[in-house]
Amino acid sequence: VEEMRVFRGGEEISLTKIEFELLRLFMENPGRVFTRDNLLNQVWGYDFCGEEKAVNIHIMNLRRKLHMDCIETIRGVGYRFAKN
């Protein structure tokens, strides 16, 4: 079983499974822009029946928990992990 643990500055950050999967997807694809549909399909799965706004809420929570703005909003398109 794979551990789903994230640390920042030596401190463990508690993430939900969705937040963790979003972060993993972004970190594995730095600079790639994901539309909300891309994220819903890749993280939630094709059978997700909820609102696209769910993506916005999880991104907002992830930014807050990480205490950093490493996930950029690309207006009218989606999100990407900042290439630093």
Side-chain angles (χ1 to χ4, degrees):
V1 174
E2 181 181 344
E3 285 194 55
M4 298 188 330
R5 298 173 72 187
V6 175
F7 293 86
R8 181 168 188 271
E11 182 180 331
E12 186 169 6
I13 299 169
S14 177
L15 299 179
T16 66
K17 182 178 186 314
I18 294 290
E19 291 164 351
F20 180 84
E21 293 301 332
L22 281 169
L23 182 60
R24 180 201 325 243
L25 184 63
F26 284 126
M27 291 182 76
E28 288 176 349
N29 299 279
R32 178 176 170 197
V33 178
F34 290 93
T35 66
R36 285 174 186 81
D37 271 349
N38 292 146
L39 295 171
L40 287 171
N41 289 332
Q42 292 188 47
V43 175
W44 278 261
Y46 290 101
D47 58 350
F48 180 73
C49 297
E51 295 275 332
E52 281 189 1
K53 299 280 186 209
V55 174
N56 301 12
I57 292 165
H58 281 86
I59 296 288
M60 180 183 67
N61 289 338
L62 189 53
R63 286 173 173 157
R64 181 180 47 81
K65 289 179 178 183
L66 294 174
H67 299 290
M68 53 195 299
D69 206 11
C70 56
I71 301 169
E72 295 178 88
T73 300
I74 309 302
R75 289 207 182 273
V77 181
Y79 300 96
R80 78 171 162 212
F81 196 75
K83 290 166 116 174
N84 290 354

